[in-house]
Amino acid sequence: METLISLVNKLQRACTVLGDHGEESALPTLWDSLPAIAVVGGQSSGKSSVLESVVGKDFLPRGSGIVTRRPLVLQLHRIDEGREYAEFLHLPKKKFTDFALVRKEISDETDRETGRTKQVSTVPIHLSIYSPNVVNLTLIDLPGLTKVAVDGQPESIVADIENMVRSFIEKPNCIILAISPANQDLATSDAIKISREVDPKGERTFGVLTKIDLMDKGTDAVDILEGKSYRLQFPWISVVNRSQADINKSVDMIAARRREREYFSSSPEYKHLAHRMGSEHLGTMLSKHLEQVIKSRIPGIQSLISKTIIELEAEFSRLGKPIAADSGGKMYAIMEICRVFDQIYKEHLDGVRPGGEKIYNIFDNQLPAAMKRLHFDKHLSMENVRKLITEADGYQPHLIAPEQGYRRLIESSLVSIRGPAEAAVDAVHSILKELAHKAINETAELKQYPSLKIEVGNAAVDSLERMREESKKATLKLVDMECSYLTVDFFRKLPQDVEKGGNPTHSIFDRYNDPYLRRIGTTVLSYVNMVCASLRNSIPKSIVYCQVREAKRSLLDHFFAELGKKETKQLSSMLDEDPAVMERRTALAKRLELYRSAQAEIDAVAWAK
Ligand code: GDP
Ligand code: MG
């Protein structure tokens, strides 16, 4: 038992310490990979007695007639230290340390389900024993197979019991202890019959012969035990359990074992087989077999663990990192997330990610087209020129050149460029905003924190809004500057004949004639076109300087400044994750850690010789 204990002990650390007791759970379990041992056989063949002796404890109700009337699923749990105790699934809060009371509770609980009759129920009783002296195993005590219904039992009982027994032992991880009493003919053994049905090759069936001490005088079981009458994969083992008289006298297990040893070594028929008979030997055989079975399952368990670790890790990384509790940690986390966002935003503007080219499109197409639509030629038609020049002259027609008229014509043209300039600022603003929105959604870290996402989004929009205002001021200033001071050289360099209309030798009244006004119109138009061309170049510079460059440089500066003033509570509310996510992450982290240590433990088992 010792090697098995240490082997299973390692596995146990890998399973039970995982919080994995084989119960229903959202996470995969290892318990299912471990074998279970079930006893099958006819009524009163000694099943409960054998099971007890494998466990090394007196706690099962035994006796003649039908005693075990419900399946008992007994889970043995190894604990590192402490007092042995038992617990029933139907009494979760109660710890039994007195095993006589365990036996009483088993029979009481049987009666609760079936009444004090001879009825049988297929509803199992679940009992767990926690002890430093057991290995993690599931043992199943089953009602005995019968041939006929007795008083109070329904006719179906024979088939019911058989089906129930079969449902337990047909599972491939179930080791079958097929119990046959030696004082009956083996040919009538129900245990052999049903186990051969579910395990035809006998790969997981142990033939156990009980009551050898009760055989008729003059008969013996040597042929069976030597495998001559019925051959099994594993050699037959006979045991001498306590008789009813022993039970009544409360003979303890140690004394019973000693007597059993004496029985085999002193009886002339069995002397030569004594080394492989008895409960102790059965225990050793089972241990060896279990060890082998468990070892053969290790690769499967290993791959299950690796697979689970990969799944857990994937989910863990999907959930993102947890946040520190102190305000420094929170602040740092927020800054880190913002830094990621900022980087993504820059990449959009710099062409690593798409979107930045839309800004160039505004400068290259939208702005020039909008300027063209201003139709200065119409504004500078002869009729308009006449109107503005006369108005500017007022009651005193100009004497040499219509200085005031020129100014009015030029200013009134240039002022209209404010419209396209402002529109370009707004268009760039909406692209910057759209890209910020995109970058926010592309920042995986922000998905985790809906509140922070909103705050960062708002902060970005506020900043962009401020930048738009600045840009508008600066850009309109460029236009206004052109209005406030005209390029003197342009007019000085004009060919003389353009100014002909201003020749003082002409009559004053000739000065408003058509060719004269047309010339003024043409002059002003070419001046305005020159200014337009220059603004087409300088407006984008102003916009990039005030908006694009600034957005790249300091989109969240204001947010960071405000962040510094916030208290822990406010910071936490920014990082208010969904509590379900937080819980899940904690649970995952714990499971993951345990699975990793389980992996290490099982690797150690796999390498152990
Ligand atoms: P189950 O119905 O198959 O669970 O059988 P039990 O374990 O309850 O045993 C039925 C009766 O047979 C009890 O009175 C036991 O004391 C007795 N018994 C079981 N095995 C042996 C044995 O090897 N020798 C003797 N003398 N009595 C036994
Ligand atoms: Mg029994």
Side-chain angles (χ1 to χ4, degrees):
M1 223 53 173
E2 275 311 305
T3 36
L4 186 63
I5 287 182
S6 77
L7 171 66
V8 177
N9 192 20
K10 287 202 180 85
L11 276 181
Q12 180 248 348
R13 285 212 296 268
C15 312
T16 315
V17 177
L18 273 178
D20 175 359
H21 302 285
E23 79 278 26
E24 286 294 318
S25 117
L27 294 158
T29 162
L30 291 174
W31 188 282
D32 287 346
S33 315
L34 296 177
I37 298 174
V39 284
V40 294
Q43 199 173 297
S44 292
S45 55
K47 299 179 296 300
S48 299
S49 304
V50 169
L51 206 51
E52 268 192 343
S53 109
V54 169
V55 182
K57 273 230 150 315
D58 298 303
F59 65 97
L60 293 174
R62 290 149 308 171
S64 58
I66 180 158
V67 180
T68 308
R69 286 181 289 117
R70 284 176 67 178
L72 177 79
V73 178
L74 172 66
Q75 291 197 328
L76 304 181
H77 303 262
R78 186 176 157 76
I79 50 175
D80 283 337
E81 53 202 27
R83 209 168 150 203
E84 213 163 45
Y85 67 94
E87 228 172 49
F88 287 93
L89 190 67
H90 65 270
L91 290 173
K93 295 254 145 57
K94 197 160 169 190
K95 284 187 180 171
F96 288 79
T97 46
D98 180 348
F99 281 77
L101 291 179
V102 172
R103 178 180 308 153
K104 185 170 178 310
E105 181 56 34
I106 293 173
S107 58
D108 290 352
E109 176 61 16
T110 303
D111 291 346
R112 262 173 234 139
E113 178 74 20
T114 60
R116 298 186 64 94
T117 61
K118 294 195 167 137
Q119 308 252 19
V120 170
S121 162
T122 55
V123 181
I125 298 174
H126 284 270
L127 171 64
S128 289
I129 293 182
Y130 297 84
S131 163
N133 311 314
V134 298
V135 296
N136 280 341
L137 266 186
T138 302
L139 303 170
I140 303 158
D141 192 17
L142 291 164
L145 298 157
T146 55
K147 300 265 188 287
V148 287
V150 296
D151 50 299
Q153 293 181 334
E155 277 308 313
S156 62
I157 189 158
V158 177
D160 288 348
I161 296 181
E162 202 180 302
N163 290 336
M164 171 179 65
V165 168
R166 193 177 291 113
S167 76
F168 280 100
I169 63 173
E170 69 192 358
K171 295 193 179 109
N173 71 334
C174 183
I175 293 168
I176 304 167
L177 294 187
I179 314 291
S180 310
N183 57 354
Q184 274 169 31
D185 197 331
L186 201 60
T188 65
S189 167
D190 304 294
I192 293 298
K193 184 168 165 273
I194 198 163
S195 57
R196 195 157 50 172
E197 209 182 284
V198 297
D199 176 31
K201 289 189 188 151
E203 286 163 335
R204 51 190 180 89
T205 302
F206 284 83
V208 180
L209 209 57
T210 54
K211 304 195 182 178
I212 199 162
D213 56 316
L214 297 182
M215 285 182 83
D216 278 346
K217 289 227 159 42
T219 60
D220 64 61
V222 173
D223 278 358
I224 298 174
L225 296 179
E226 286 182 346
K228 285 177 188 151
S229 33
Y230 187 80
R231 211 181 160 72
L232 285 171
Q233 183 100 359
F234 300 103
W236 279 88
I237 296 173
S238 179
V239 296
V240 178
N241 293 318
R242 283 163 289 183
S243 66
Q244 193 58 46
D246 295 334
I247 292 169
N248 298 345
K249 279 186 280 179
S250 304
V251 173
D252 69 21
M253 193 160 287
I254 294 164
R257 285 260 169 105
R258 194 177 52 236
R259 258 183 22 205
E260 187 188 34
R261 268 199 306 275
E262 278 162 19
Y263 177 86
F264 284 110
S265 56
S266 62
S267 42
E269 315 88 299
Y270 307 123
K271 226 194 224 149
H272 68 294
L273 298 170
H275 64 284
R276 57 177 185 86
M277 293 296 136
S279 308
E280 255 163 285
H281 183 70
L282 176 63
T284 315
M285 284 295 292
L286 267 180
S287 289
K288 273 202 188 127
H289 181 69
L290 281 172
E291 197 180 314
Q292 210 186 320
V293 169
I294 290 169
K295 278 198 170 158
S296 75
R297 294 196 194 272
I298 286 172
I301 297 177
Q302 279 176 315
S303 74
L304 178 68
I305 291 183
S306 313
K307 196 174 133 257
T308 310
I309 288 179
I310 290 169
E311 282 167 12
L312 291 173
E313 276 171 347
E315 190 184 345
F316 197 66
S317 70
R318 261 203 310 283
L319 289 183
K321 275 186 248 153
I323 292 300
D326 61 310
S327 70
K330 286 183 200 298
M331 188 94 73
Y332 178 76
I334 294 176
M335 305 274 277
E336 276 295 290
I337 294 170
C338 289
R339 202 187 49 74
V340 174
F341 158 72
D342 219 36
Q343 182 57 32
I344 294 176
Y345 188 57
K346 277 186 190 135
E347 287 177 6
H348 274 295
L349 293 174
D350 289 341
V352 180
R353 290 165 192 256
E357 74 285 350
K358 287 187 188 162
I359 294 175
Y360 176 67
N361 185 47
I362 288 173
F363 300 152
D364 196 42
N365 290 313
Q366 216 165 301
L367 178 64
M371 282 179 151
K372 209 171 262 170
R373 278 197 300 275
L374 293 174
H375 294 296
F376 293 120
D377 49 341
K378 274 187 199 145
H379 182 64
L380 297 170
S381 69
M382 204 178 61
E383 289 317 309
N384 233 8
V385 171
R386 187 196 311 278
K387 187 168 162 275
L388 274 153
I389 297 251
T390 13
E391 273 174 18
D393 280 353
Y395 70 92
Q396 167 75 75
H398 60 271
L399 299 179
I400 295 167
E403 187 82 16
Q404 277 306 320
Y406 267 113
R407 279 192 183 280
R408 281 209 192 168
L409 282 169
I410 290 170
E411 273 170 32
S412 64
S413 301
L414 292 183
V415 128
S416 64
I417 300 176
R418 289 177 71 115
E422 224 171 326
V425 169
D426 288 339
V428 169
H429 173 76
S430 58
I431 291 168
L432 291 173
K433 216 163 100 174
E434 180 195 315
L435 292 180
H437 184 67
K438 257 199 187 141
I440 291 227
N441 285 327
E442 285 164 4
T443 308
E445 287 78 356
L446 279 175
K447 285 201 184 76
Q448 212 176 319
Y449 308 107
S451 303
L452 182 63
K453 184 172 169 177
I454 292 169
E455 298 240 11
V456 171
N458 290 344
V461 169
D462 286 352
S463 289
L464 290 174
E465 201 60 61
R466 273 193 297 277
M467 291 165 196
R468 163 159 73 175
E469 288 317 311
E470 281 307 305
S471 177
K472 212 168 254 184
K473 271 188 220 153
T475 309
L476 292 181
K477 232 176 238 171
L478 285 180
V479 179
D480 294 348
M481 282 176 201
E482 291 293 347
C483 298
S484 60
Y485 189 70
L486 307 182
T487 310
V488 183
D489 273 1
F490 178 87
F491 294 94
R492 283 199 182 139
K493 283 188 190 131
L494 281 176
Q496 264 314 239
D497 72 315
V498 173
E499 279 300 297
K500 227 175 174 181
N503 188 329
T505 57
H506 281 226
S507 149
I508 288 168
F509 304 103
D510 290 345
R511 290 184 186 166
Y512 298 101
N513 68 16
D514 293 357
Y516 173 74
L517 293 169
R518 207 169 284 129
R519 269 196 303 275
I520 292 176
T522 316
T523 308
V524 171
L525 182 62
S526 75
Y527 182 76
V528 168
N529 280 339
M530 180 194 78
V531 173
C532 260
S534 132
L535 282 176
R536 250 201 327 263
N537 290 326
S538 54
I539 288 173
K541 290 177 204 216
S542 155
I543 290 179
V544 169
Y545 182 83
C546 298
Q547 287 172 275
V548 183
R549 170 181 153 278
E550 209 50 30
K552 265 170 69 177
R553 217 170 56 107
S554 65
L555 188 63
L556 295 179
D557 279 6
H558 193 72
F559 175 73
F560 290 147
E562 292 297 309
L563 195 64
K565 298 177 200 155
K566 291 216 180 348
E567 288 170 14
T568 317
K569 218 170 111 195
Q570 291 167 296
L571 294 174
S572 320
S573 78
M574 277 188 178
L575 296 172
D576 65 337
E577 257 190 306
D578 182 350
V581 173
M582 283 193 262
E583 265 167 42
R584 180 77 186 151
R585 185 191 297 106
T586 317
L588 277 176
K590 203 171 141 214
R591 261 291 141 118
L592 200 52
E593 193 193 317
L594 293 168
Y595 263 82
R596 289 211 182 98
S597 69
Q599 195 171 42
E601 293 288 353
I602 293 204
D603 283 351
V605 175
W607 288 99
K609 281 272 142 47

